[in-house]
Amino acid sequence: MKFSFQGSRVLVTGASRGIGRAIGQTFAEAGARVLVHYRDNREAARRALQALPGGPHEILAADLAKPGEGRCLLARAVSCLGGLDILVNNAGMYRPHPPASTNAEEWDEAWQRTLQVNLLSPAELSHAAIEPFRVAGGGRIVNVTSRGAFRGEPDAPAYGASKAGLNALSQSLAKALAPEGIFVYAVAPGWVETDMAAPYLEGPGGQEIRDQIPLGRLASPQEIARAVCFLASPGTESMTGCILDVNGASYLRT
Ligand SMILES: NC(=O)c1ccc[n+]([C@@H]2O[C@H](COP(=O)([O-])OP(=O)(O)OC[C@H]3O[C@@H](n4cnc5c(N)ncnc54)[C@H](OP(=O)(O)O)[C@@H]3O)[C@@H](O)[C@H]2O)c1
């Protein structure tokens, strides 16, 4: 699949590693200018930035676990890039908190942090992007959600809820903003070969995870990046509000 994003200005959150890094790379290879966002892994983010062709690209840190940081990041990104055409809400966290063995304090902390990073900050970023998109004459948001939104996350209920919320946010914004030429999509991966998945794949349940996937392997970060870039491309306007599953047929919604 060949993409063209010549001159497009793209903010990718969580672009230092894993899926976000592949998304930034795919946009840059198609001619976009990319803002590489990260939390605190500066070395990884610098390596990701240096690997990008074209440019000039930019780099910014922001801890999206803090309320208000999403809005602030969006404003800084617009200033660095001179505007914004595409926002990819990819940054996310997964912290186990099994209901039967987690105390009240850990439970509340896991919910607050997970919802802030995975849902409330993307909501801030998306809302703050509306005005720059108006200035640009339109825009696109692609949110990276998860199969867990549909299938359930018994060891991390806040993760499943945050991703279900992000799907709902995508669909609500798609309805609200289509008349303004702002299109909103979600990509819902199953297991992907990244740092987030590594502890589970390398643990005792690793083979069972692989056995759940009829395709016989996990998705690569590049496959998720291609799905994101496809949705962000011209010609997908009528797909606004869609949730694209990328999970090797491991969970099929009806
Ligand atoms: N991997 C999977 O199997 C899988 C499956 C379904 C959905 N997803 C979703 O795909 C997205 C990317 O996942 P991944 O596997 O690529 O994750 P990853 O390898 O763990 O990378 C996470 C990225 O998010 C950033 N990040 C984490 N916490 C942050 C915070 N508090 N504030 C700002 N940035 C933060 C990290 O920045 P630093 O490098 O600075 O820490 C990093 O760039 C996530 O939304 C995840 O939920 C992943």
Side-chain angles (χ1 to χ4, degrees):
M1 208 178 301
K2 194 106 181 99
F3 299 110
S4 178
F5 289 104
Q6 208 59 47
S8 292
R9 298 153 298 182
V10 187
L11 165 57
V12 183
T13 67
S16 49
R17 295 184 281 127
I19 295 170
R21 179 174 175 164
I23 293 170
Q25 186 76 28
T26 308
F27 272 114
E29 284 167 4
R33 291 184 56 212
V34 177
L35 194 139
V36 173
H37 157 263
Y38 68 105
R39 175 189 48 183
D40 57 7
N41 200 335
R42 185 164 174 75
E43 261 325 292
R46 283 175 61 83
R47 281 196 299 277
L49 181 79
Q50 280 163 4
L52 298 180
H57 307 293
E58 308 287 344
I59 185 168
L60 281 176
D63 184 355
L64 297 177
K66 296 182 184 161
E69 279 292 297
R71 210 168 270 286
C72 180
L73 170 63
L74 201 289
R76 289 161 67 211
V78 168
S79 162
C80 287
L81 293 170
L84 191 70
D85 302 293
I86 298 167
L87 164 65
V88 182
N89 284 310
N90 163 77
M93 58 165 286
Y94 177 96
R95 176 182 296 181
H97 49 286
S101 58
T102 299
N103 70 34
E105 196 183 328
E106 290 163 350
W107 176 266
D108 291 351
E109 217 273 326
W111 273 86
Q112 272 160 16
R113 195 173 178 84
T114 305
L115 287 183
Q116 185 64 49
V117 174
N118 292 3
L119 178 59
L120 301 181
S121 285
E124 281 182 24
L125 282 149
S126 302
H127 187 246
I130 294 172
E131 201 45 45
F133 284 161
R134 283 183 180 138
V135 171
R140 285 165 195 260
I141 300 173
V142 186
N143 293 318
V144 180
T145 69
S146 172
R147 176 187 69 163
F150 308 110
R151 193 197 54 153
E153 289 284 351
D155 290 333
Y159 182 83
S162 71
K163 296 299 189 177
L166 192 54
N167 283 332
L169 173 69
S170 309
Q171 294 184 318
S172 298
L173 291 182
K175 277 186 177 276
L177 299 175
E180 298 207 43
I182 298 171
F183 307 111
V184 189
Y185 314 86
V187 172
W191 288 98
V192 186
E193 300 251 21
T194 69
D195 294 347
M196 187 182 278
Y200 306 96
L201 297 170
E202 288 157 13
Q207 193 52 47
E208 196 187 322
I209 288 170
R210 289 186 171 80
D211 290 345
Q212 291 167 5
I213 309 171
L215 178 63
R217 62 166 178 82
L218 277 68
S220 68
Q222 289 73 22
E223 285 178 288
I224 311 303
R226 282 196 287 275
V228 168
C229 286
F230 165 66
L231 290 173
S233 296
T236 59
E237 293 78 12
S238 293
M239 293 179 73
T240 194
C242 79
I243 302 168
L244 196 61
D245 296 311
V246 188
N247 64 37
S250 61
Y251 187 81
L252 299 177
R253 294 182 286 137
T254 50

